[in-house]
């Protein structure tokens, strides 16, 4: 595969890791992550801060698919703004401003994980006509 195009190498890496990616997606979309983190946000619970670990796990899995290529700058800005936060009671004064970026980062990371899994299963080779989700994945990896 060394002489394959970058998009073919990416698709091959996805297919090679598909079971782990599917497992990660199932966790991210499950009750204790997807449902509970959104609930914790609206409940104003400090437990929403745990969403950062999920985001970081997803980002690490996405980066591992193409480690030689930094992920999209816009995506990484969203991730940086939504991770690395520690709870303090000062967050309660502006709860939404203090915590919303964490969910935003989680949702963006989850979207890309979902698209990687979806197209990793659906595609046998990179398509000529790009579905929007696959095109977004290509942007994530600097291939568009």
């Amino acid at each position: 595969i060394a002489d394959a195009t970058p998009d073919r190498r990416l698709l091959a890496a996805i297919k090679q890791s598909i079971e782990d990616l599917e497992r990660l997606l199932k966790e991210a979309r499950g009750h204790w992550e997807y449902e509970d983190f959104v609930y914790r946000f609206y409940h104003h619970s400090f437990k929403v801060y745990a969403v950062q670990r999920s985001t970081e796990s997803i980002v690490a899995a996405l980066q591992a698919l193409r480690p030689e290529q930094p992920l999209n700058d816009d995506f990484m800005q969203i991730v940086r703004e939504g991770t690395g936060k520690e709870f303090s009671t000062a967050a309660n004064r502006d709860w939404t401003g203090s915590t919303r970026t964490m969910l935003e980062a989680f949702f963006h990371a989850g979207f890309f994980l979902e698209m990687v899994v979806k197209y990793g299963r659906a595609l046998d080779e990179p398509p000529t006509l790009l579905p929007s989700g696959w095109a977004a994945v290509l942007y994530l990896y600097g291939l568009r």
Side-chain angles (χ1 to χ4, degrees):
I1 281 205
D3 61 340
T5 61
D7 56 339
R8 285 185 187 281
R9 287 195 303 272
L10 173 61
L11 185 56
I14 293 168
K15 287 185 171 296
Q16 186 174 29
S17 301
I18 196 72
E19 287 84 14
D20 291 336
L21 295 166
E22 286 176 328
R23 200 168 16 261
L24 186 58
L25 179 61
K26 184 177 179 182
E27 289 172 18
R29 291 297 180 246
H31 175 85
W32 292 113
E33 293 195 16
Y34 188 68
E35 290 183 39
D36 196 61
F37 291 142
V38 173
Y39 158 68
R40 298 294 174 182
F41 171 78
Y42 285 101
H43 186 60
H44 289 217
S45 168
F46 72 93
K47 292 179 181 180
V48 73
Y49 280 72
V51 74
Q52 297 172 94
R53 285 192 305 273
S54 297
T55 301
E56 291 165 348
S57 295
I58 294 168
V59 172
L62 293 170
Q63 183 64 73
L65 295 172
R66 197 159 187 251
E68 73 284 359
Q69 174 66 41
L71 297 175
N72 178 279
D73 289 339
D74 295 333
F75 173 73
M76 289 309 299
Q77 179 179 348
I78 292 167
V79 170
R80 279 190 304 278
E81 291 174 4
T83 56
K85 297 178 181 235
E86 292 184 28
F87 176 75
S88 77
T89 56
N92 292 326
R93 287 192 291 276
D94 180 20
W95 182 257
T96 302
S98 298
T99 59
R100 188 181 68 217
T101 57
M102 292 186 293
L103 286 179
E104 181 181 9
F106 176 68
F107 292 149
H108 279 259
F111 166 80
F112 280 112
L113 178 59
E114 184 179 344
M115 293 302 105
V116 161
V117 168
K118 176 180 180 178
Y119 291 104
R121 283 290 183 205
L123 299 175
D124 291 323
E125 60 183 60
T128 305
L129 296 174
L130 299 177
S132 297
W134 181 246
V137 167
L138 295 179
Y139 268 109
L140 180 66
Y141 291 99
L143 298 175
R144 274 208 49 90

